[in-house]
Amino acid sequence: MSNFSVAFRNSAGTTILDLHGELDAHTAPDLESAILKSRENGGHNVIINGAHLDYISSAGLGVFMAFVEEFRAEDGDIKFAALQPKVYNVFDLLGFPLIFHITGSEEEALELFNSGVRPL
Amino acid sequence: MTTLVWPILFGLDPPAFSSSGIGLQITVGACFVLWWFVLARILRRARSGPIQVLWHILLTAVLFMVLLVCVLQIPGAVNEEFQAITATTHLKGGLIALLAASFAFTLLQRLRILVRRRRQSTSRNWPYMLLAMALFSVYFTHLPQEWPEGLLGILLSILVVCLAGAMVVYIAANAFRVSWVAQLRGNQRLLAILIGLGLLAVTVLLPAVSLPNSPFPMIAGVSVSGFSSFLGPYSPSLAVFTGLGVLFGFLYILASVLSLLFNIPGDPDVRLTVDEMGVLDNLNSLMKSAVDVGEVAERVVEQTVEGYLASAAWIVMLNYENEPYRPMIVASQNISIERAAAAFDTAAFFNEVAGAKEVLVVQQVATDYRVRTSLGSDIQSLAVAPLGDGAVVSGALFIVRAEAYGFVKDDIAAIRMLTSYASLALEYARLIESTIERERLARELAIAREVQLRLLPQDLPESEQLSMAASSSPSQEVGGDFYDVLELEDGKVAVIVADVSGKGTSAAFYMAILQGIFRSAARLTPSPRDFLLQANRAISDRLDRKIFVTAVYGLVDQYTGVLHLARSGHCPAIRISASGEPSEWRSSGIGLGLNQGPLFADSLAVVEHQLMPGDVIVLYTDGLIEHRNADGEEYGVERLIGTVTDHRHMEARLLHNVLIKDLARFTGGQPSYSDDLTLVVLTWQHAPRKAVPEASGRP
């Protein structure tokens, strides 16, 4: 029933999570375990690629909030890239662009990591 | 060298066959005791099914007869005083002793498997019988030539009577322990009877060929008689012990054959022993009187031990209370839970049977890596049987026995039968427990829902200018959506619509907290900016990091008609003017609980709007616009705006109902929502309501 999946990629010390499908209260634990796994591997730099993320609910957004402080304390961050307009709208309504780096493309997000721009 | 080896091998003082010294007798005795243990070691690995044991004995007996007849062909004789006549007499006597002893020893050691098959409590009878037989053999053959007078003579007589008596009692006690007979079915039974009869024939033949004046001195021209005339003088004690051993074997096999003959079940498909039937009967009645899982588990292990399937048993069940689910010992019999947990790697065994869904047997626990060392000697073999409903293994029954190789095929079948019944009883108990639990939870949730609905305002303020209608429907019993309205003393009305992230009970708790904050803070700091800053501070300390709240808060001044409105992460409020002009107030503002620093305050913007007659303000939560129909299409903000625009002249309550109906129509009358859903409609009238009597009837 769940039509959500997470794929891992790695690029120069940054974990890139490709989210597919719909992220809601039921699928949020999948994302949570994916981020936990990335943290176990020492990855505190995470880019969420939302090119294939069709929907996000408040429970899904909560997952990022659960980790971001900890990652930033480790000099890492969670950044978002290539969000679909509808999903970006949800982020925007909530004020996420003020809290997170949200970029149009993955490369821009990587560039932000490389140039060491501090999170907002 | 020869003089040293010769007596040990053949127990003979070469020159005098029968007048061997006491030292030599002891040496010979010790050699045969050693041979007993060597044989025991060799035979330990032999298969232990009843048929296999009987078959093994029969083969040994036949082999022994053949070899005996061969050895008897060796020239050599003894005279009337049992003295050797020829040199080969020594060889012949030694070989005969070795053969006879080997046969008797094998017979006893193989029968031991059958005798000690079940009842643990009586297993000591066996070594006591062997001891009595051995002592009697030695004592009886070394009685003094001249019986002493007086007290010593009486004592010696009492001793010999006691020894003989004890031996007879123990032989009798062991000879009738034939409970294995009940396990055999159909063809196995027939086979056992045939082998048993064959064995009886061979043991009857033995004395016939052993006595000097045998009734069959010659068979087909071959001398077969008189081996006892060699064995007796060689080692009298050994001869007596061998005789007693064969006698016991004869009695035991006779008892077995008789009970096999008279205990044939009418139905060949009866697959269980009387003991096991009793166990299943008890479990069956247990199931009917359904008690809790723990008690059922206790009864299962108790029945397992009482049914002689085990010397000790315990049950592990998955603990569903904490993830990850771990198997825990819930009941044990004849072993403490602590000891069972310490000695066995419960999780490893459980995982194996849960995967294989089959009975796992460890015939020698000492060699298994999942068994920790320092086990007592009372645990030698282990069987682990899965418990569950067939599809999912939810527990396991551990059965241990005091002997290595304690489980044979029939035992496994019995264990399988037992566990299938036990599984049924356990699942039944669990079902009842979970039904009770579910009903209790449902009742409590129904109460929670009641409470939550009562938290929502029962009466909305109604004035000449302002009228309101609102509803909130949780997708589950309770939810995280919330609206409230508060009339302040100076004619202002504060209204809030909020959405706690997530759904269900946890969201409902935060919703209750938020209401407390609204009720108190809106009075003290009614302006939208002050209220939301206050609320953010108050709520941030209490929220789980992954929980946040979005809210839209409005303050209407009923005298001036000025609306101040701010939004923290929430869906923008919609305003439709009397002329049907829609606007969304998408002012900036971060969700409550997302930021505790200056960012929240810095980004929070307030909308100021002079309400105009005919204005409709709609506040809602995302559950409304994200509600989907069967095609997966969302209701959407455009459709919401369109519907409101079409019915903007309606009175607030009617407009609210129209919107809910339109949503239902869109989703095809789907009664349940996938997310909590809240809708608040405010209308601002230019004139007192009484002046517009037909207001509600207008399209």
Side-chain angles (χ1 to χ4, degrees):
Chain A
M1 174 76 205
S2 156
N3 55 346
F4 175 76
S5 64
V6 188
F8 283 89
R9 274 182 297 135
N10 224 303
S11 172
T14 301
T15 309
I16 298 163
L17 300 180
D18 286 302
L19 308 192
H20 289 253
E22 307 198 343
L23 179 56
D24 57 22
H26 298 289
T27 55
D30 297 351
L31 174 64
E32 204 169 325
S33 52
I35 296 183
L36 276 171
K37 208 149 120 198
S38 143
R39 188 181 65 178
E40 270 169 36
N41 300 334
H44 292 112
N45 285 358
V46 174
I47 293 175
I48 306 291
N49 187 320
H52 301 285
L53 179 67
D54 303 322
Y55 171 83
I56 189 160
S57 80
S58 57
L61 293 160
V63 176
F64 304 120
M65 297 309 301
F67 289 100
V68 70
E69 267 179 51
E70 189 186 328
F71 280 23
R72 286 179 182 171
E74 298 282 339
D75 272 346
D77 193 19
I78 299 176
K79 299 189 199 295
F80 297 89
L83 295 177
Q84 294 182 21
K86 220 186 95 193
V87 172
Y88 179 81
N89 183 43
V90 176
F91 276 71
D92 187 37
L93 276 177
L94 203 53
F96 264 35
L98 298 169
I99 307 171
F100 291 96
H101 283 138
I102 302 177
T103 62
S105 70
E106 202 178 293
E107 291 70 30
E108 288 171 67
L110 276 170
E111 184 53 39
L112 282 173
F113 270 126
N114 294 337
S115 59
V117 175
R118 296 298 307 149
L120 309 159
Chain B
M1 187 64 193
T2 320
T3 48
L4 192 69
V5 173
W6 184 260
I8 291 173
L9 270 183
F10 303 114
L12 298 175
D13 185 7
F17 186 86
S18 65
S19 58
S20 316
I22 190 79
L24 192 61
Q25 289 285 346
I26 290 172
T27 316
V28 169
C31 283
F32 276 96
V33 169
L34 190 69
W35 179 227
W36 167 273
F37 287 108
V38 169
L39 257 184
R41 209 175 162 72
I42 294 170
L43 292 174
R44 210 173 58 182
R45 302 264 168 139
R47 305 181 68 176
S48 57
I51 299 285
Q52 291 148 350
V53 169
L54 291 175
W55 186 241
H56 191 184
I57 296 174
L58 181 62
L59 286 180
T60 316
V62 170
L63 182 71
F64 166 68
M65 291 291 277
V66 170
L67 288 175
L68 189 65
V69 169
C70 292
V71 171
L72 281 172
Q73 306 316 308
I74 296 172
V78 285
N79 60 15
E80 270 108 46
E81 279 79 45
F82 293 132
Q83 279 167 345
I85 292 172
T86 63
T88 49
T89 305
H90 304 307
L91 177 66
K92 189 172 175 179
L95 285 176
I96 286 172
L98 190 64
L99 276 177
S102 301
F103 173 65
F105 290 0
T106 308
L107 180 70
L108 285 172
Q109 292 188 354
R110 294 305 276 151
L111 286 181
R112 172 185 162 274
I113 306 277
L114 298 182
V115 173
R116 296 186 62 174
R117 200 162 177 76
R118 293 226 178 261
R119 300 182 180 262
Q120 305 297 322
S121 53
T122 53
S123 61
R124 281 201 190 123
N125 286 351
W126 180 260
Y128 288 162
M129 180 187 81
L130 292 180
L131 191 66
M133 279 164 60
L135 288 176
F136 179 81
S137 309
V138 173
Y139 184 62
F140 186 71
T141 49
H142 291 83
L143 290 174
Q145 297 285 326
E146 285 173 23
W147 201 255
E149 299 274 322
L151 192 61
L152 185 64
I154 293 168
L155 280 176
L156 285 178
S157 312
I158 290 174
L159 188 59
V160 75
V161 169
C162 282
L163 268 177
M167 186 179 70
V168 169
V169 167
Y170 279 120
I171 286 180
N174 284 311
F176 295 103
R177 284 161 63 183
V178 291
S179 61
W180 56 271
V181 159
Q183 289 178 24
L184 300 183
R185 357 253 171 231
N187 291 343
Q188 282 187 315
R189 211 168 248 280
L190 200 62
L191 193 60
I193 292 173
L194 287 177
I195 299 174
L197 287 174
L199 265 171
L200 285 180
V202 174
T203 37
V204 165
L205 267 179
L206 265 177
V209 299
S210 71
L211 297 172
N213 39 5
S214 155
F216 323 101
M218 306 279 278
I219 291 177
V222 174
S223 165
V224 293
S225 69
F227 85 81
S228 64
S229 30
F230 293 90
L231 184 58
Y234 173 81
S235 170
S237 305
L238 186 67
V240 172
F241 185 84
T242 307
L244 288 170
V246 174
L247 175 69
F248 171 77
F250 179 78
L251 287 175
Y252 187 80
I253 290 159
L254 185 64
S256 304
V257 168
L258 287 179
S259 70
L260 275 165
L261 282 172
F262 293 108
N263 191 16
I264 290 179
D267 178 4
D269 278 330
V270 171
R271 303 189 69 83
L272 295 162
T273 67
V274 179
D275 283 345
E276 286 150 7
M277 278 301 229
V279 170
L280 294 192
D281 245 15
N282 289 343
L283 284 180
N284 219 356
S285 60
L286 176 66
M287 207 163 82
K288 284 177 193 138
S289 65
V291 273
D292 64 291
V293 173
E295 197 173 325
V296 173
E298 288 286 350
R299 295 283 291 276
V300 169
V301 289
E302 188 187 300
Q303 292 295 326
T304 308
V305 174
E306 274 183 15
Y308 309 113
L309 278 168
S311 59
W314 62 96
I315 282 187
V316 304
M317 300 286 281
L318 277 185
N319 179 4
Y320 287 111
E321 276 163 27
N322 300 312
E323 280 192 84
Y325 306 144
R326 283 180 210 290
M328 308 263 291
I329 300 177
V330 294
S332 70
Q333 180 82 7
N334 278 6
I335 185 168
S336 73
I337 287 180
E338 293 73 29
R339 184 170 170 227
F344 294 85
D345 188 343
T346 304
F349 281 115
F350 175 82
N351 289 341
E352 179 160 343
V353 293
K357 296 196 177 122
E358 243 313 318
V359 180
L360 164 74
V361 179
V362 181
Q363 296 284 25
Q364 281 181 293
V365 288
T367 61
D368 196 285
Y369 65 97
R370 291 161 295 197
V371 181
R372 287 163 198 134
T373 47
S374 74
L375 262 183
S377 61
D378 56 334
I379 298 177
Q380 295 293 336
S381 50
L382 163 79
V384 187
L387 295 168
D389 62 2
V392 177
V393 175
S394 55
L397 173 64
F398 284 63
I399 294 173
V400 292
R401 285 198 172 163
E403 314 108 324
Y405 298 90
F407 296 95
V408 297
K409 212 167 123 200
D410 295 334
D411 293 326
I412 308 298
I415 289 169
R416 217 174 271 142
M417 185 68 79
L418 172 81
T419 48
S420 69
Y421 268 76
S423 295
L424 221 58
L426 285 166
E427 287 302 310
Y428 190 51
R430 193 206 291 282
L431 202 68
I432 287 191
E433 261 182 20
S434 68
T435 307
I436 293 171
E437 179 67 8
R438 234 193 337 268
E439 279 175 4
R440 193 182 65 77
L441 279 177
R443 265 200 306 279
E444 294 198 349
L445 277 176
I447 294 169
R449 185 190 174 91
E450 280 291 303
V451 170
Q452 195 177 33
L453 284 177
R454 226 171 291 147
L455 286 179
L456 297 174
Q458 302 301 304
D459 297 301
L460 297 174
E462 189 83 45
S463 73
E464 291 176 343
Q465 292 97 353
L466 182 70
S467 69
M468 297 174 81
S471 69
S472 182
S473 317
S475 66
Q476 298 166 5
E477 276 78 2
V478 291
D481 266 19
F482 158 69
Y483 72 87
D484 203 356
V485 181
L486 199 61
E487 259 191 302
L488 304 173
E489 283 150 12
D490 53 0
K492 288 179 179 161
V493 173
V495 57
I496 186 171
V497 170
D499 181 357
V500 179
S501 70
K503 288 182 276 190
T505 32
S506 70
F509 278 115
Y510 290 120
M511 171 255 166
I513 291 174
L514 192 68
Q515 188 184 36
I517 294 171
F518 174 74
R519 291 261 155 178
S520 55
R523 278 185 208 285
L524 300 171
T525 54
S527 90
R529 185 179 169 83
D530 293 344
F531 170 78
L532 287 175
L533 288 177
Q534 189 87 336
N536 189 45
R537 255 197 306 280
I539 213 163
S540 291
D541 305 335
R542 307 188 192 186
L543 289 181
D544 187 313
R545 260 190 299 180
K546 66 175 103 164
I547 306 278
F548 55 86
V549 180
T550 67
V552 57
Y553 175 97
L555 186 69
V556 183
D557 186 330
Q558 294 194 84
Y559 297 130
T560 61
V562 173
L563 165 69
H564 284 98
L565 189 129
R567 186 187 73 85
S568 58
H570 201 82
C571 301
I574 295 169
R575 177 239 172 187
I576 313 283
S577 71
S579 62
E581 186 73 30
S583 47
E584 271 190 277
W585 286 321
R586 200 180 172 116
S587 56
S588 86
I590 304 175
L592 299 171
L594 291 180
N595 181 280
Q596 298 172 46
L599 193 62
F600 183 86
D602 294 348
S603 63
L604 188 63
V606 177
V607 173
E608 189 182 307
H609 173 72
Q610 175 64 55
L611 286 164
M612 303 302 286
D615 266 358
V616 177
I617 313 289
V618 176
L619 310 178
Y620 61 94
T621 55
D622 56 4
L624 178 75
I625 54 167
E626 287 176 3
H627 200 42
R628 293 185 212 194
N629 65 10
D631 300 331
E633 209 182 327
E634 284 184 357
Y635 186 70
V637 72
E638 288 78 17
R639 186 168 172 134
L640 173 65
I641 290 173
T643 313
V644 178
T645 312
D646 289 350
H647 301 89
R648 65 186 181 278
H649 300 303
M650 279 185 170
E651 189 254 333
R653 197 174 309 279
L654 281 174
L655 176 55
H656 171 272
N657 293 348
V658 163
L659 288 173
I660 295 294
K661 273 188 194 133
D662 187 58
L663 182 70
R665 201 163 39 240
F666 173 76
T667 54
Q670 227 175 297
S672 66
Y673 301 119
S674 58
D675 192 5
D676 306 336
L677 183 158
T678 299
L679 174 68
V680 174
V681 176
L682 289 90
T683 56
W684 186 257
Q685 304 296 338
H686 65 289
R689 176 136 315 141
K690 59 188 181 214
V692 196
E694 296 302 313
S696 61
R698 269 191 341 234

